[in-house]
PDB file of all heavy atoms in Angstrom:
ATOM      1  N   LEU A  19       0.543  -6.588  -0.667  1.00 96.00           N
ATOM      2  CA  LEU A  19      -0.404  -7.310   0.188  1.00 96.00           C
ATOM      3  C   LEU A  19      -1.176  -6.367   1.128  1.00 96.00           C
ATOM      4  O   LEU A  19      -2.390  -6.499   1.314  1.00 96.00           O
ATOM      5  CB  LEU A  19       0.410  -8.343   0.958  1.00 96.00           C
ATOM      6  CG  LEU A  19      -0.214  -9.313   1.928  1.00 96.00           C
ATOM      7  CD1 LEU A  19       0.669 -10.556   2.017  1.00 96.00           C
ATOM      8  CD2 LEU A  19      -0.371  -8.729   3.308  1.00 96.00           C
ATOM      9  N   ALA A  22      -3.783  -4.149  -0.705  1.00 98.00           N
ATOM     10  CA  ALA A  22      -4.906  -4.983  -1.159  1.00 98.00           C
ATOM     11  C   ALA A  22      -5.857  -5.243   0.011  1.00 98.00           C
ATOM     12  O   ALA A  22      -7.090  -5.156  -0.128  1.00 98.00           O
ATOM     13  CB  ALA A  22      -4.393  -6.303  -1.726  1.00 98.00           C
ATOM     14  N   THR A  23      -5.293  -5.535   1.166  1.00 98.00           N
ATOM     15  CA  THR A  23      -6.113  -5.802   2.350  1.00 98.00           C
ATOM     16  C   THR A  23      -6.868  -4.531   2.762  1.00 98.00           C
ATOM     17  O   THR A  23      -8.057  -4.591   3.127  1.00 98.00           O
ATOM     18  CB  THR A  23      -5.228  -6.304   3.509  1.00 98.00           C
ATOM     19  OG1 THR A  23      -4.395  -7.354   3.029  1.00 98.00           O
ATOM     20  CG2 THR A  23      -6.068  -6.796   4.668  1.00 98.00           C
ATOM     21  N   ALA A  26      -9.820  -4.091   0.520  1.00 98.00           N
ATOM     22  CA  ALA A  26     -10.899  -5.030   0.874  1.00 98.00           C
ATOM     23  C   ALA A  26     -11.636  -4.556   2.130  1.00 98.00           C
ATOM     24  O   ALA A  26     -12.868  -4.687   2.220  1.00 98.00           O
ATOM     25  CB  ALA A  26     -10.324  -6.430   1.084  1.00 98.00           C
ATOM     26  N   ILE A  27     -10.911  -3.980   3.073  1.00 98.00           N
ATOM     27  CA  ILE A  27     -11.534  -3.472   4.299  1.00 98.00           C
ATOM     28  C   ILE A  27     -12.421  -2.260   3.978  1.00 98.00           C
ATOM     29  O   ILE A  27     -13.548  -2.160   4.474  1.00 98.00           O
ATOM     30  CB  ILE A  27     -10.447  -3.119   5.350  1.00 98.00           C
ATOM     31  CG1 ILE A  27      -9.794  -4.401   5.876  1.00 98.00           C
ATOM     32  CG2 ILE A  27     -11.033  -2.288   6.498  1.00 98.00           C
ATOM     33  CD1 ILE A  27      -8.556  -4.181   6.736  1.00 98.00           C
ATOM     34  N   LEU A  60     -11.107  -6.411  -6.606  1.00 97.00           N
ATOM     35  CA  LEU A  60     -11.779  -6.012  -5.374  1.00 97.00           C
ATOM     36  C   LEU A  60     -12.808  -4.906  -5.624  1.00 97.00           C
ATOM     37  O   LEU A  60     -13.172  -4.158  -4.708  1.00 97.00           O
ATOM     38  CB  LEU A  60     -10.754  -5.599  -4.314  1.00 97.00           C
ATOM     39  CG  LEU A  60      -9.896  -6.775  -3.799  1.00 97.00           C
ATOM     40  CD1 LEU A  60      -8.750  -6.285  -2.932  1.00 97.00           C
ATOM     41  CD2 LEU A  60     -10.745  -7.768  -3.001  1.00 97.00           C
ATOM     42  N   ALA A 175       0.732 -11.404  10.074  1.00 97.00           N
ATOM     43  CA  ALA A 175      -0.164 -12.570  10.140  1.00 97.00           C
ATOM     44  C   ALA A 175      -1.624 -12.134  10.333  1.00 97.00           C
ATOM     45  O   ALA A 175      -2.541 -12.690   9.717  1.00 97.00           O
ATOM     46  CB  ALA A 175       0.267 -13.495  11.270  1.00 97.00           C
ATOM     47  N   GLU A 176      -1.834 -11.131  11.158  1.00 97.00           N
ATOM     48  CA  GLU A 176      -3.206 -10.629  11.374  1.00 97.00           C
ATOM     49  C   GLU A 176      -3.773 -10.005  10.097  1.00 97.00           C
ATOM     50  O   GLU A 176      -4.951 -10.169   9.781  1.00 97.00           O
ATOM     51  CB  GLU A 176      -3.216  -9.589  12.512  1.00 97.00           C
ATOM     52  CG  GLU A 176      -3.028 -10.223  13.891  1.00 97.00           C
ATOM     53  CD  GLU A 176      -2.740  -9.201  14.986  1.00 97.00           C
ATOM     54  OE1 GLU A 176      -2.269  -8.083  14.690  1.00 97.00           O
ATOM     55  OE2 GLU A 176      -2.967  -9.545  16.154  1.00 97.00           O
ATOM     56  N   ILE A 177      -2.905  -9.305   9.359  1.00 97.00           N
ATOM     57  CA  ILE A 177      -3.335  -8.697   8.090  1.00 97.00           C
ATOM     58  C   ILE A 177      -3.771  -9.805   7.128  1.00 97.00           C
ATOM     59  O   ILE A 177      -4.818  -9.723   6.487  1.00 97.00           O
ATOM     60  CB  ILE A 177      -2.190  -7.852   7.484  1.00 97.00           C
ATOM     61  CG1 ILE A 177      -1.908  -6.630   8.364  1.00 97.00           C
ATOM     62  CG2 ILE A 177      -2.512  -7.440   6.052  1.00 97.00           C
ATOM     63  CD1 ILE A 177      -0.599  -5.907   8.029  1.00 97.00           C
ATOM     64  N   ILE A 178      -2.961 -10.851   7.042  1.00 98.00           N
ATOM     65  CA  ILE A 178      -3.243 -11.948   6.106  1.00 98.00           C
ATOM     66  C   ILE A 178      -4.535 -12.683   6.503  1.00 98.00           C
ATOM     67  O   ILE A 178      -5.358 -13.001   5.648  1.00 98.00           O
ATOM     68  CB  ILE A 178      -2.031 -12.902   6.019  1.00 98.00           C
ATOM     69  CG1 ILE A 178      -0.889 -12.188   5.277  1.00 98.00           C
ATOM     70  CG2 ILE A 178      -2.402 -14.229   5.348  1.00 98.00           C
ATOM     71  CD1 ILE A 178       0.457 -12.887   5.363  1.00 98.00           C
ATOM     72  N   ARG A 179      -4.724 -12.903   7.793  1.00 98.00           N
ATOM     73  CA  ARG A 179      -5.961 -13.568   8.238  1.00 98.00           C
ATOM     74  C   ARG A 179      -7.183 -12.727   7.894  1.00 98.00           C
ATOM     75  O   ARG A 179      -8.203 -13.232   7.446  1.00 98.00           O
ATOM     76  CB  ARG A 179      -5.918 -13.835   9.746  1.00 98.00           C
ATOM     77  CG  ARG A 179      -5.253 -15.148  10.078  1.00 98.00           C
ATOM     78  CD  ARG A 179      -5.467 -15.542  11.530  1.00 98.00           C
ATOM     79  NE  ARG A 179      -4.212 -16.012  12.069  1.00 98.00           N
ATOM     80  CZ  ARG A 179      -3.484 -15.362  12.967  1.00 98.00           C
ATOM     81  NH1 ARG A 179      -3.902 -14.219  13.484  1.00 98.00           N
ATOM     82  NH2 ARG A 179      -2.343 -15.858  13.370  1.00 98.00           N
ATOM     83  N   ARG A 180      -7.053 -11.443   8.107  1.00 98.00           N
ATOM     84  CA  ARG A 180      -8.143 -10.506   7.791  1.00 98.00           C
ATOM     85  C   ARG A 180      -8.477 -10.563   6.292  1.00 98.00           C
ATOM     86  O   ARG A 180      -9.636 -10.686   5.901  1.00 98.00           O
ATOM     87  CB  ARG A 180      -7.676  -9.100   8.189  1.00 98.00           C
ATOM     88  CG  ARG A 180      -8.721  -8.040   8.186  1.00 98.00           C
ATOM     89  CD  ARG A 180      -9.583  -8.132   9.424  1.00 98.00           C
ATOM     90  NE  ARG A 180     -10.885  -7.515   9.188  1.00 98.00           N
ATOM     91  CZ  ARG A 180     -11.124  -6.219   9.269  1.00 98.00           C
ATOM     92  NH1 ARG A 180     -10.181  -5.387   9.625  1.00 98.00           N
ATOM     93  NH2 ARG A 180     -12.324  -5.735   8.999  1.00 98.00           N
ATOM     94  N   GLY A 181      -7.431 -10.505   5.474  1.00 98.00           N
ATOM     95  CA  GLY A 181      -7.621 -10.506   4.025  1.00 98.00           C
ATOM     96  C   GLY A 181      -8.176 -11.831   3.528  1.00 98.00           C
ATOM     97  O   GLY A 181      -9.028 -11.871   2.637  1.00 98.00           O
ATOM     98  N   GLU A 182      -7.702 -12.900   4.144  1.00 97.00           N
ATOM     99  CA  GLU A 182      -8.182 -14.241   3.780  1.00 97.00           C
ATOM    100  C   GLU A 182      -9.696 -14.325   4.039  1.00 97.00           C
ATOM    101  O   GLU A 182     -10.461 -14.814   3.212  1.00 97.00           O
ATOM    102  CB  GLU A 182      -7.423 -15.272   4.632  1.00 97.00           C
ATOM    103  CG  GLU A 182      -7.811 -16.713   4.438  1.00 97.00           C
ATOM    104  CD  GLU A 182      -7.140 -17.352   3.228  1.00 97.00           C
ATOM    105  OE1 GLU A 182      -6.477 -16.644   2.444  1.00 97.00           O
ATOM    106  OE2 GLU A 182      -7.311 -18.564   3.071  1.00 97.00           O
ATOM    107  N   ALA A 183     -10.113 -13.783   5.184  1.00 97.00           N
ATOM    108  CA  ALA A 183     -11.536 -13.794   5.534  1.00 97.00           C
ATOM    109  C   ALA A 183     -12.349 -12.941   4.554  1.00 97.00           C
ATOM    110  O   ALA A 183     -13.539 -13.196   4.340  1.00 97.00           O
ATOM    111  CB  ALA A 183     -11.725 -13.274   6.960  1.00 97.00           C
ATOM    112  N   LEU A 184     -11.711 -11.942   3.958  1.00 97.00           N
ATOM    113  CA  LEU A 184     -12.410 -11.060   3.013  1.00 97.00           C
ATOM    114  C   LEU A 184     -12.289 -11.565   1.573  1.00 97.00           C
ATOM    115  O   LEU A 184     -12.727 -10.910   0.632  1.00 97.00           O
ATOM    116  CB  LEU A 184     -11.853  -9.627   3.118  1.00 97.00           C
ATOM    117  CG  LEU A 184     -12.140  -8.911   4.441  1.00 97.00           C
ATOM    118  CD1 LEU A 184     -11.351  -7.601   4.528  1.00 97.00           C
ATOM    119  CD2 LEU A 184     -13.625  -8.631   4.599  1.00 97.00           C
ATOM    120  N   GLY A 185     -11.666 -12.716   1.406  1.00 95.00           N
ATOM    121  CA  GLY A 185     -11.630 -13.356   0.088  1.00 95.00           C
ATOM    122  C   GLY A 185     -10.590 -12.808  -0.878  1.00 95.00           C
ATOM    123  O   GLY A 185     -10.728 -12.959  -2.090  1.00 95.00           O
ATOM    124  N   ILE A 186      -9.556 -12.180  -0.355  1.00 97.00           N
ATOM    125  CA  ILE A 186      -8.519 -11.643  -1.246  1.00 97.00           C
ATOM    126  C   ILE A 186      -7.707 -12.771  -1.880  1.00 97.00           C
ATOM    127  O   ILE A 186      -7.348 -13.730  -1.209  1.00 97.00           O
ATOM    128  CB  ILE A 186      -7.547 -10.740  -0.462  1.00 97.00           C
ATOM    129  CG1 ILE A 186      -8.277  -9.511   0.056  1.00 97.00           C
ATOM    130  CG2 ILE A 186      -6.364 -10.320  -1.332  1.00 97.00           C
ATOM    131  CD1 ILE A 186      -7.411  -8.590   0.881  1.00 97.00           C
ATOM    132  N   ASN A 187      -7.408 -12.607  -3.165  1.00 96.00           N
ATOM    133  CA  ASN A 187      -6.472 -13.508  -3.819  1.00 96.00           C
ATOM    134  C   ASN A 187      -5.078 -12.885  -3.720  1.00 96.00           C
ATOM    135  O   ASN A 187      -4.694 -12.054  -4.546  1.00 96.00           O
ATOM    136  CB  ASN A 187      -6.882 -13.704  -5.284  1.00 96.00           C
ATOM    137  CG  ASN A 187      -5.854 -14.512  -6.057  1.00 96.00           C
ATOM    138  OD1 ASN A 187      -4.895 -15.035  -5.476  1.00 96.00           O
ATOM    139  ND2 ASN A 187      -6.034 -14.615  -7.353  1.00 96.00           N
ATOM    140  N   TYR A 188      -4.320 -13.296  -2.696  1.00 97.00           N
ATOM    141  CA  TYR A 188      -2.993 -12.705  -2.492  1.00 97.00           C
ATOM    142  C   TYR A 188      -1.997 -13.103  -3.581  1.00 97.00           C
ATOM    143  O   TYR A 188      -0.931 -12.521  -3.682  1.00 97.00           O
ATOM    144  CB  TYR A 188      -2.450 -13.068  -1.107  1.00 97.00           C
ATOM    145  CG  TYR A 188      -3.049 -12.250   0.010  1.00 97.00           C
ATOM    146  CD1 TYR A 188      -3.645 -12.862   1.101  1.00 97.00           C
ATOM    147  CD2 TYR A 188      -2.994 -10.855  -0.022  1.00 97.00           C
ATOM    148  CE1 TYR A 188      -4.194 -12.111   2.136  1.00 97.00           C
ATOM    149  CE2 TYR A 188      -3.538 -10.097   1.003  1.00 97.00           C
ATOM    150  CZ  TYR A 188      -4.123 -10.731   2.082  1.00 97.00           C
ATOM    151  OH  TYR A 188      -4.649  -9.976   3.100  1.00 97.00           O
TER     152      TYR A 188
END
Side-chain angles (χ1 to χ4, degrees):
L19 181 154
T23 311
I27 290 170
L60 292 171
E176 287 168 337
I177 293 167
I178 289 168
R179 273 192 224 110
R180 191 78 204 278
E182 178 82 352
L184 293 171
I186 295 178
N187 174 7
Y188 282 126

